[in-house]
Amino acid sequence: MDVIEFRPERDQYAFTFGGVAPVRKVQPGTMLQLWTDDAFCGALRDPSDMPSAKLTMPFVNPQTGPFYVEGAEPGDMLALHFVDLSPARDFGASSTIPFFGGLTGTDRTVTLQDPLEERTWIYEVDRDRRTVAFQARSSDLRLELPMDPMLGTVGVAPAAGEVRSSLVPDAFGGNMDTPEMRAGASCYLGVNVPGALFSVGDGHYRQGEGESCGTAVEGAMNVSLIVDLVKGGGPAWPRIETDDYLMVVGSSRPLEDAWRISQAGMTGWLSDLYGLDKLDAYQLLTQVSECPLANVVDVNYSSVTKVRKSLLPPADAYDGVHRRLRELGGTTS
Amino acid sequence: MDVIEFRPERDQYAFTFGGVAPVRKVQPGTMLQLWTDDAFCGALRDPSDMPSAKLTMPFVNPQTGPFYVEGAEPGDMLALHFVDLSPARDFGASSTIPFFGGLTGTDRTVTLQDPLEERTWIYEVDRDRRTVAFQARSSDLRLELPMDPMLGTVGVAPAAGEVRSSLVPDAFGGNMDTPEMRAGASCYLGVNVPGALFSVGDGHYRQGEGESCGTAVEGAMNVSLIVDLVKGGGPAWPRIETDDYLMVVGSSRPLEDAWRISQAGMTGWLSDLYGLDKLDAYQLLTQVSECPLANVVDVNYSSVTKVRKSLLPPADAYDGVHRRLRELGGTTS
Amino acid sequence: MDVIEFRPERDQYAFTFGGVAPVRKVQPGTMLQLWTDDAFCGALRDPSDMPSAKLTMPFVNPQTGPFYVEGAEPGDMLALHFVDLSPARDFGASSTIPFFGGLTGTDRTVTLQDPLEERTWIYEVDRDRRTVAFQARSSDLRLELPMDPMLGTVGVAPAAGEVRSSLVPDAFGGNMDTPEMRAGASCYLGVNVPGALFSVGDGHYRQGEGESCGTAVEGAMNVSLIVDLVKGGGPAWPRIETDDYLMVVGSSRPLEDAWRISQAGMTGWLSDLYGLDKLDAYQLLTQVSECPLANVVDVNYSSVTKVRKSLLPPADAYDGVHRRLRELGGTTS
Amino acid sequence: MDVIEFRPERDQYAFTFGGVAPVRKVQPGTMLQLWTDDAFCGALRDPSDMPSAKLTMPFVNPQTGPFYVEGAEPGDMLALHFVDLSPARDFGASSTIPFFGGLTGTDRTVTLQDPLEERTWIYEVDRDRRTVAFQARSSDLRLELPMDPMLGTVGVAPAAGEVRSSLVPDAFGGNMDTPEMRAGASCYLGVNVPGALFSVGDGHYRQGEGESCGTAVEGAMNVSLIVDLVKGGGPAWPRIETDDYLMVVGSSRPLEDAWRISQAGMTGWLSDLYGLDKLDAYQLLTQVSECPLANVVDVNYSSVTKVRKSLLPPADAYDGVHRRLRELGGTTS
């Protein structure tokens, strides 16, 4: 398997999906070994680092990429299988950012109240114990939490000639912020432009569902992934497959619309896999779906619909691309 | 422990929280062995039974109760610990009801489109294998799904003199439709009126998160629960505790508001348990919360915020009422 | 025409729709001359009166009524024609109430921010000039605004045995807070219980659309209205007719659902009046509807769809009940 | 005054804000005489023309522009004063488009129901009577409605390097679809990129508030406008000024967030104009705001907050730019 390593220089950081020239061309079947900076561009390193002083809007959530996938045409499906995600720094950072987050007025849910206090937390990473350490600022409470590395942002260039901020997820993927984007997962994205032009970023060493305060345990990440391409059949919204689950991610507002997108996507997927009509698929989904939230903080919220494969008859989605990539990745790593 | 058995006659079914005279008075510490009919009042028994023909609105989602808890005063906390939930029929029923459900226009999200087809599914219960069988109507697909009994509806009389439909959850609990309301869980509800006047109903033999089509595998249920009372400290919104999790349920629209309620509730709970200020609690919650949806179909949607106890230092919420009831229940059953 | 005068004693104030015994029985065709206290029960009379000190929750938004309308049966339509609304005090009051209002976090849109400052404004009423005077608290700015008396709250007992707070509008009417509820308007409400059991309250000497801070220029009101009854044909949601407009009010969350309800209601009304199919009515509505917001602050928001009669062919809605009551009222006043 | 005429060739139609090279450079103070095609690119000309057959997505809602305004820098304010809007065709077209509109499931509010029937209406324009004629398809009803020409879409290149579809309004303006964008109005937009790069399009010969079915009486338009520039002080969201009103437009989801944006924007504007603190401005706004909806059909909804100038003390917003342009336009036309 071809392997390409890439670590962007600061001036190569991409802050949009679309609108950026590709940094590399890659063949389907290639493994990429990437480094991606954290959402703060590494600017928060100490509890005294305040976002309002250290961040330069809109230059946050930098992406590594985009990569041009040879042969990818609009309508195809890009498959990205994450072989490994490993923290690239010894600390993660999280922060309350004025008027950003789920439990504060924002630039959309505008209120006249004063912002919440700005505060930064630094999480010490222990690679051996695979933990990140929460240290309360108002008390002595210190907790070691299991490390659970994920990528907040995975996406392709949007349709209709759009160029979109790396902060706002939509049908092209982007900043979905779901903890399901772990090593072992394959992410399926519909291709909108020749070459797909995908990028990844926003490493989280750990994140709860919903990403309440707006920032996870943000950290630079080493990412190993295998790129593949399925001709035709690109899904309207991002899908994720693991050994155990099928998933669809919807991103919109209000949150019920993000959920509806993910549910209708899964209804269609079940129909396709098992030859059910839409009502039977809807009924089956009603009894088997798991619905963890992803983010409730971005301009579009993201909701995940998951179905556990063990509840369903065996089926090879997309001719078994996940299983194939999983095996490839297993051999490699 | 005192044990009270109660099975309502048809004319004793309660269809509201509040506005109904209590069927029994109970002392804190009593075990109740109840039977509760399904949300259809048992009217759907065959795939040919259509809701539009068989259901008489608004007489759906009948509750067993209300029970008057001796000593319960406004501001107190009612604890209901579910010892056992067992299907009381050999089948469960689910149905698409015109203009009701998550992926259809409704009486609130009004569209001018024709309704989805009305269709009923009957799930055969296998008690030994602890399964319910989905049988597709459009194909031969048959799936045995694990039985996972839960109560869709648990609540007390509302505040402010209101009487509320058993279909719409709110701060008083009610039709939250979360699969977390299983045997082994303790549900905590703030008391609004003398005696609390709680009732339970809406047995589901299994339900996916979100309850997409609007109806789970609905079935009459035998319910064993222990009633307890904590003086003072009643929470503003329902809480659930299990051996493994602390949970808060919020119910509102849009869905993000239901989520916000549950998140803010959990922020407060973490602050109380661990002496954190609100920002530290918000930060910790951001990294540890699990957010499964409950229902996205009722006039208020319900969202659950869960925190796994093993991530937190040991703490006895409400002086360990869950542990105590759990032990009592374990001894009993 | 029979005339009944009624001014409630303090212990006769009603704080719910439903759940209250009628204060009077009235025949259709009767004129009622009522007095109704303001939403604060008259407790805010000076800029130093703070809601947190002076209001006793949930005893706000008191209603005058309910009235039992002889002959009213479920399914009928109650018509209330407002002949005159006149301020009953020399001042109106408005206030920011902590965690209540459109530009603040609330008990539903929960945030962790501190509340906005609590502040009370007293508006001097000039009956001759028909103005209310805004006096800024942070500067010398003083503005005389035209008086425009309206009722925030008009409703009947809810369906399905519910008893609902006078603060939250829904299909039964209630706290819709639309400035369209002026003298000269007829309000049509579907009857849910024998006698309809309507009440009115929440006088506003003036209110902007949306009622942003949550409270209008609140003031006790003298209300003259004529009660009438149309057998059958009660609308699902409140309608208002004036000499110039047909209107439908929807109340729900999110705000688009309140709007959808009002729009679908008007589509149906246009279909009924002009024999249009639903698509033609939808198309016509698209080009002629006016959509002023009512409230965006209550637990259900309210949205109004208006159609100017002069754009449409002549038609007598409900056999001309508005015109008839208008003439009766004109003769009387 | 310099006058520039411009009519785009078909291959010059712009379908995004941002991402398109300017068609002309213009000096502040220039009058532009433009022609802009309708949202269907003129493809619907007969009731038999169905959108699904005639439209090529995403090539709808073509813009005329963008224009590079000499001297415009990020942070400045662009003022576009509309001197005249005149229908450029003898007919307007409207249509129901499958899964698009306010009273149907959409690609965001996804339902499983069948789409509404696709139907096209052609409105005959009578320039002398200044009417457009609605002809029902299901009956003989024919109505002449007053012509009320407006532009659905006015915007500048977005911030943060984004390129955005001409279908979705946001802080940069775009497809707000408010009937307030009439001749006589001045639209104020914050400049995000050098030259501002504004464009206009989406002529409506008439539109109701909300644009329920998703399409107004769409028609090609001759547009006369004067461009001006105010250095610094660009507003975060679009503002509109007429002789009679100050307005702010917010665009987001859910609809209450669009409203909140427009309300908070107006609170700030009132504070600036009259030296009020935010609470006094909030209070004043509460009693004087008018809140007509703009669109409830696009991926972002738009809501307008208007304040009638006659209720306020005299004030010259932005040093009287509206008055000045109004006079210039009056002299010219």
Side-chain angles (χ1 to χ4, degrees):
Chain A
M1 184 164 36
D2 287 342
V3 177
I4 292 179
E5 293 186 32
F6 180 73
R7 177 181 173 134
E9 299 300 315
R10 181 59 68 107
D11 62 2
Q12 290 178 305
Y13 287 10
F15 295 97
T16 53
F17 287 91
V20 184
V23 293
R24 291 286 186 282
K25 292 202 169 191
V26 298
Q27 291 291 339
T30 302
M31 170 169 282
L32 298 185
Q33 294 184 333
L34 309 175
W35 179 93
T36 183
D37 205 346
D38 68 36
F40 305 125
C41 297
L44 303 188
R45 292 165 175 267
D46 185 271
S48 66
D49 291 332
M50 292 295 102
S52 58
K54 296 286 184 173
L55 305 184
T56 310
M57 298 304 291
F59 302 108
V60 291
N61 208 21
Q63 301 300 299
T64 295
F67 297 91
Y68 184 102
V69 181
E70 301 279 3
E73 294 295 328
D76 292 345
M77 187 183 92
L78 179 72
L80 300 177
H81 177 69
F82 297 100
V83 176
D84 188 62
L85 302 178
S86 299
R89 290 203 184 101
D90 290 331
F91 67 92
S94 191
S95 190
T96 46
I97 298 175
F99 299 121
F100 179 67
L103 298 181
T104 173
T106 67
D107 62 346
R108 301 268 154 173
T109 306
V110 189
T111 73
L112 300 178
Q113 293 159 279
D114 291 332
L116 286 172
E117 178 195 326
E118 206 176 11
R119 193 185 285 181
T120 294
W121 293 260
I122 299 296
Y123 288 74
E124 198 178 329
V125 170
D126 186 324
R127 289 168 204 276
D128 294 333
R129 301 166 57 90
R130 293 190 61 79
T131 58
V132 292
F134 166 77
Q135 173 60 59
R137 302 287 305 280
S138 62
S139 79
D140 291 335
L141 186 68
R142 186 175 186 279
L143 290 176
E144 293 204 327
L145 301 171
M147 186 190 294
D148 186 10
M150 53 161 279
L151 287 178
T153 308
V154 177
V156 293
E162 285 202 316
V163 173
R164 301 286 294 275
S165 161
S166 63
L167 289 170
V168 184
D170 209 311
F172 62 87
N175 196 26
M176 298 175 281
D177 284 321
T178 168
E180 308 294 344
M181 204 71 81
R182 292 184 179 91
S186 301
C187 178
Y188 305 146
L189 296 159
V191 174
N192 300 304
V193 303
L197 294 175
F198 79 88
S199 60
V200 303
D202 193 24
H204 296 167
Y205 298 168
R206 179 179 181 84
Q207 183 207 303
E209 293 165 2
E211 204 186 11
S212 323
C213 85
T215 56
V217 182
E218 311 282 336
M221 196 78 82
N222 293 311
V223 178
S224 295
L225 64 86
I226 307 176
V227 180
D228 207 358
L229 184 67
V230 174
K231 294 301 291 181
W237 289 85
R239 296 180 174 186
I240 301 174
E241 185 173 359
T242 65
D243 293 355
D244 295 330
Y245 280 99
L246 303 175
M247 306 183 222
V248 179
V249 189
S251 298
S252 193
R253 278 198 184 192
L255 185 54
E256 53 265 39
D257 275 3
W259 176 83
R260 284 180 180 120
I261 289 166
S262 72
Q263 289 272 307
M266 186 59 84
T267 302
W269 203 358
L270 293 177
S271 289
D272 290 347
L273 288 176
Y274 300 108
L276 298 171
D277 75 358
K278 72 182 176 189
L279 276 182
D280 273 344
Y282 186 32
Q283 170 61 213
L284 177 57
L285 181 64
T286 299
Q287 315 310 347
V288 301
S289 76
E290 300 177 32
C291 294
L293 295 177
N295 94 74
V296 197
V297 297
D298 296 321
V299 168
N300 284 328
Y301 303 138
S302 299
S303 179
V304 179
T305 291
K306 302 170 64 170
V307 177
R308 186 179 281 274
K309 289 178 173 179
S310 65
L311 296 178
L312 303 173
D316 270 348
Y318 304 109
D319 288 327
V321 65
H322 169 73
R323 189 165 31 77
R324 189 162 44 77
L325 294 175
R326 181 76 163 129
E327 285 162 9
L328 269 175
T331 311
T332 312
S333 63
Chain B
M1 185 166 33
D2 286 342
V3 177
I4 292 179
E5 293 187 31
F6 180 73
R7 177 182 172 134
E9 298 300 313
R10 182 59 69 109
D11 62 2
Q12 290 178 305
Y13 286 10
F15 296 96
T16 53
F17 288 91
V20 184
V23 293
R24 292 284 187 283
K25 293 202 169 190
V26 299
Q27 291 290 339
T30 303
M31 170 169 282
L32 297 185
Q33 293 185 333
L34 309 174
W35 178 94
T36 184
D37 205 346
D38 69 34
F40 306 125
C41 297
L44 304 189
R45 293 166 174 267
D46 185 272
S48 66
D49 291 334
M50 292 295 100
S52 58
K54 296 286 184 173
L55 305 183
T56 309
M57 298 303 294
F59 302 109
V60 292
N61 208 21
Q63 300 301 298
T64 294
F67 297 92
Y68 184 103
V69 181
E70 300 280 4
E73 293 297 328
D76 292 345
M77 187 183 91
L78 179 71
L80 300 177
H81 176 70
F82 297 99
V83 176
D84 188 62
L85 302 178
S86 299
R89 290 203 183 101
D90 291 331
F91 67 92
S94 190
S95 189
T96 45
I97 298 175
F99 299 122
F100 180 67
L103 298 181
T104 173
T106 67
D107 63 347
R108 300 270 153 171
T109 306
V110 189
T111 73
L112 299 178
Q113 293 160 277
D114 291 333
L116 286 172
E117 179 194 327
E118 206 175 12
R119 193 185 284 181
T120 295
W121 293 260
I122 299 297
Y123 287 75
E124 201 179 327
V125 170
D126 186 322
R127 290 170 203 276
D128 295 333
R129 300 166 58 90
R130 292 191 63 79
T131 58
V132 292
F134 167 75
Q135 173 60 59
R137 301 288 305 280
S138 64
S139 79
D140 291 336
L141 186 70
R142 187 176 186 278
L143 290 177
E144 292 203 327
L145 301 171
M147 187 190 293
D148 187 11
M150 53 162 278
L151 286 178
T153 309
V154 176
V156 293
E162 286 203 314
V163 173
R164 300 286 295 275
S165 160
S166 64
L167 289 170
V168 184
D170 210 313
F172 62 89
N175 196 26
M176 298 175 280
D177 284 320
T178 168
E180 309 294 346
M181 204 71 83
R182 294 185 178 91
S186 300
C187 178
Y188 305 145
L189 296 158
V191 174
N192 301 303
V193 302
L197 294 176
F198 79 88
S199 59
V200 302
D202 193 24
H204 295 168
Y205 298 169
R206 178 179 182 83
Q207 183 207 301
E209 293 164 1
E211 205 188 10
S212 324
C213 86
T215 56
V217 182
E218 311 280 338
M221 197 77 83
N222 293 311
V223 177
S224 294
L225 63 87
I226 306 175
V227 180
D228 207 357
L229 184 67
V230 174
K231 293 304 290 182
W237 289 85
R239 297 180 174 186
I240 301 173
E241 184 174 359
T242 65
D243 293 356
D244 295 330
Y245 280 99
L246 302 175
M247 306 183 222
V248 179
V249 189
S251 298
S252 193
R253 278 198 185 193
L255 185 53
E256 54 264 37
D257 275 2
W259 175 83
R260 284 181 180 119
I261 290 166
S262 72
Q263 289 272 309
M266 186 60 83
T267 301
W269 204 356
L270 293 176
S271 289
D272 290 347
L273 288 176
Y274 300 108
L276 298 171
D277 74 359
K278 72 182 174 186
L279 275 182
D280 273 343
Y282 185 31
Q283 170 60 214
L284 177 57
L285 181 63
T286 300
Q287 315 310 348
V288 300
S289 75
E290 300 178 33
C291 293
L293 296 177
N295 95 73
V296 196
V297 298
D298 296 321
V299 168
N300 284 330
Y301 304 138
S302 299
S303 180
V304 180
T305 291
K306 303 167 65 169
V307 176
R308 186 179 281 274
K309 289 177 174 180
S310 64
L311 297 179
L312 303 172
D316 270 348
Y318 303 109
D319 288 327
V321 64
H322 168 73
R323 190 163 31 79
R324 189 161 45 77
L325 294 175
R326 182 77 162 130
E327 284 162 10
L328 269 175
T331 312
T332 312
S333 63
Chain C
M1 184 164 37
D2 286 343
V3 176
I4 292 179
E5 293 186 31
F6 180 74
R7 177 182 172 132
E9 298 300 314
R10 182 58 70 108
D11 62 2
Q12 289 177 307
Y13 287 10
F15 295 96
T16 54
F17 288 91
V20 184
V23 293
R24 291 285 187 281
K25 292 201 170 192
V26 299
Q27 291 290 339
T30 303
M31 169 169 283
L32 299 185
Q33 293 184 334
L34 309 175
W35 178 93
T36 183
D37 205 346
D38 69 35
F40 305 125
C41 297
L44 303 188
R45 293 165 174 267
D46 185 272
S48 66
D49 291 333
M50 292 295 101
S52 58
K54 296 285 185 174
L55 305 184
T56 310
M57 300 302 293
F59 302 108
V60 292
N61 209 21
Q63 301 300 300
T64 295
F67 298 91
Y68 184 103
V69 181
E70 301 279 4
E73 294 296 327
D76 292 345
M77 187 182 92
L78 180 72
L80 300 176
H81 177 71
F82 296 99
V83 176
D84 188 61
L85 302 179
S86 299
R89 290 203 183 101
D90 291 331
F91 68 92
S94 191
S95 190
T96 45
I97 299 174
F99 300 121
F100 180 67
L103 299 181
T104 172
T106 67
D107 62 346
R108 300 269 152 173
T109 306
V110 190
T111 73
L112 300 178
Q113 293 159 278
D114 291 333
L116 285 172
E117 178 195 328
E118 207 175 12
R119 193 184 285 181
T120 294
W121 293 259
I122 299 298
Y123 287 75
E124 199 179 329
V125 170
D126 186 322
R127 289 168 205 277
D128 295 333
R129 302 166 57 88
R130 292 190 63 77
T131 57
V132 293
F134 167 76
Q135 173 59 58
R137 301 288 305 281
S138 62
S139 78
D140 291 335
L141 186 69
R142 188 176 185 276
L143 291 176
E144 293 204 327
L145 301 171
M147 188 190 294
D148 186 11
M150 54 161 278
L151 287 178
T153 309
V154 177
V156 292
E162 284 202 315
V163 173
R164 299 286 295 275
S165 161
S166 63
L167 290 170
V168 184
D170 209 312
F172 62 87
N175 196 26
M176 298 175 282
D177 284 319
T178 168
E180 309 293 346
M181 205 70 82
R182 293 185 179 91
S186 300
C187 178
Y188 305 146
L189 295 158
V191 174
N192 300 303
V193 302
L197 293 174
F198 79 89
S199 59
V200 302
D202 193 24
H204 296 168
Y205 298 168
R206 177 178 183 83
Q207 183 207 303
E209 294 165 0
E211 204 187 11
S212 321
C213 85
T215 57
V217 181
E218 311 281 337
M221 196 79 81
N222 292 311
V223 177
S224 294
L225 63 87
I226 307 175
V227 180
D228 207 357
L229 185 67
V230 175
K231 295 302 289 182
W237 289 86
R239 295 180 175 186
I240 301 174
E241 185 173 358
T242 65
D243 293 356
D244 295 330
Y245 280 99
L246 303 175
M247 305 183 222
V248 179
V249 189
S251 298
S252 193
R253 278 198 185 191
L255 185 53
E256 54 263 38
D257 275 2
W259 175 83
R260 284 180 180 120
I261 289 166
S262 72
Q263 288 271 308
M266 185 59 83
T267 302
W269 203 357
L270 292 176
S271 289
D272 290 347
L273 289 175
Y274 300 109
L276 297 171
D277 75 359
K278 73 180 174 189
L279 275 181
D280 273 342
Y282 185 32
Q283 170 61 216
L284 178 57
L285 181 64
T286 299
Q287 315 311 347
V288 301
S289 75
E290 299 177 33
C291 294
L293 295 177
N295 95 74
V296 195
V297 297
D298 296 321
V299 168
N300 284 328
Y301 304 138
S302 298
S303 179
V304 180
T305 291
K306 303 169 64 170
V307 177
R308 186 178 280 274
K309 289 177 174 179
S310 65
L311 296 178
L312 303 173
D316 269 348
Y318 304 109
D319 288 326
V321 65
H322 169 72
R323 190 165 29 78
R324 188 161 45 75
L325 294 174
R326 182 75 163 129
E327 284 162 10
L328 268 175
T331 311
T332 312
S333 64
Chain D
M1 185 164 35
D2 287 343
V3 177
I4 292 179
E5 293 187 33
F6 180 73
R7 177 182 173 132
E9 299 300 314
R10 181 59 69 108
D11 62 2
Q12 289 178 306
Y13 286 11
F15 295 96
T16 52
F17 288 91
V20 183
V23 294
R24 292 284 185 283
K25 292 201 169 191
V26 299
Q27 291 289 340
T30 303
M31 170 168 283
L32 298 185
Q33 294 184 332
L34 309 175
W35 179 93
T36 183
D37 205 347
D38 69 34
F40 305 125
C41 297
L44 303 188
R45 292 165 174 267
D46 185 90
S48 67
D49 291 332
M50 291 295 101
S52 58
K54 296 286 183 174
L55 305 183
T56 309
M57 300 302 293
F59 302 109
V60 292
N61 208 23
Q63 301 301 299
T64 295
F67 297 91
Y68 185 102
V69 181
E70 300 280 3
E73 294 297 328
D76 292 344
M77 187 182 92
L78 180 72
L80 300 177
H81 176 70
F82 297 99
V83 176
D84 188 61
L85 302 179
S86 300
R89 290 204 184 100
D90 290 331
F91 68 91
S94 191
S95 189
T96 45
I97 298 176
F99 299 121
F100 180 68
L103 298 181
T104 172
T106 67
D107 62 347
R108 300 268 152 173
T109 307
V110 190
T111 73
L112 300 178
Q113 292 159 278
D114 292 333
L116 285 172
E117 179 195 326
E118 205 176 12
R119 194 184 283 181
T120 295
W121 293 259
I122 299 297
Y123 287 75
E124 200 178 327
V125 170
D126 186 322
R127 290 170 203 276
D128 295 333
R129 301 166 59 88
R130 291 191 64 79
T131 58
V132 293
F134 166 75
Q135 174 60 59
R137 302 287 306 279
S138 64
S139 79
D140 290 336
L141 186 69
R142 187 176 186 279
L143 290 177
E144 292 204 327
L145 301 172
M147 187 191 294
D148 187 11
M150 54 162 276
L151 287 178
T153 309
V154 177
V156 293
E162 284 202 317
V163 173
R164 299 287 295 276
S165 161
S166 63
L167 289 169
V168 184
D170 209 312
F172 62 87
N175 196 26
M176 298 175 281
D177 285 321
T178 169
E180 309 293 347
M181 203 71 82
R182 293 184 179 89
S186 300
C187 178
Y188 304 145
L189 296 159
V191 174
N192 300 303
V193 302
L197 294 175
F198 79 87
S199 60
V200 302
D202 194 23
H204 296 168
Y205 298 168
R206 178 179 182 83
Q207 183 207 301
E209 293 165 2
E211 205 188 10
S212 324
C213 87
T215 56
V217 181
E218 310 281 338
M221 196 78 82
N222 293 312
V223 177
S224 294
L225 64 86
I226 305 176
V227 180
D228 207 358
L229 184 67
V230 175
K231 293 303 289 182
W237 288 85
R239 296 180 174 185
I240 300 174
E241 185 174 359
T242 65
D243 293 355
D244 296 330
Y245 280 99
L246 302 175
M247 306 183 221
V248 179
V249 189
S251 298
S252 193
R253 279 200 185 191
L255 185 54
E256 53 265 38
D257 275 2
W259 175 83
R260 284 180 181 120
I261 290 167
S262 71
Q263 289 272 308
M266 186 59 83
T267 302
W269 204 357
L270 293 176
S271 290
D272 290 346
L273 288 175
Y274 300 108
L276 298 170
D277 75 358
K278 71 182 175 187
L279 275 182
D280 273 343
Y282 185 32
Q283 170 61 215
L284 178 57
L285 180 63
T286 299
Q287 314 311 348
V288 300
S289 75
E290 300 178 33
C291 294
L293 296 177
N295 95 73
V296 196
V297 298
D298 296 321
V299 168
N300 284 329
Y301 304 138
S302 299
S303 180
V304 179
T305 291
K306 302 168 65 168
V307 176
R308 186 178 280 275
K309 289 178 175 179
S310 64
L311 296 179
L312 303 172
D316 269 348
Y318 303 108
D319 288 326
V321 64
H322 169 72
R323 190 165 31 78
R324 188 160 45 76
L325 294 175
R326 181 76 163 129
E327 284 161 9
L328 268 176
T331 312
T332 312
S333 64

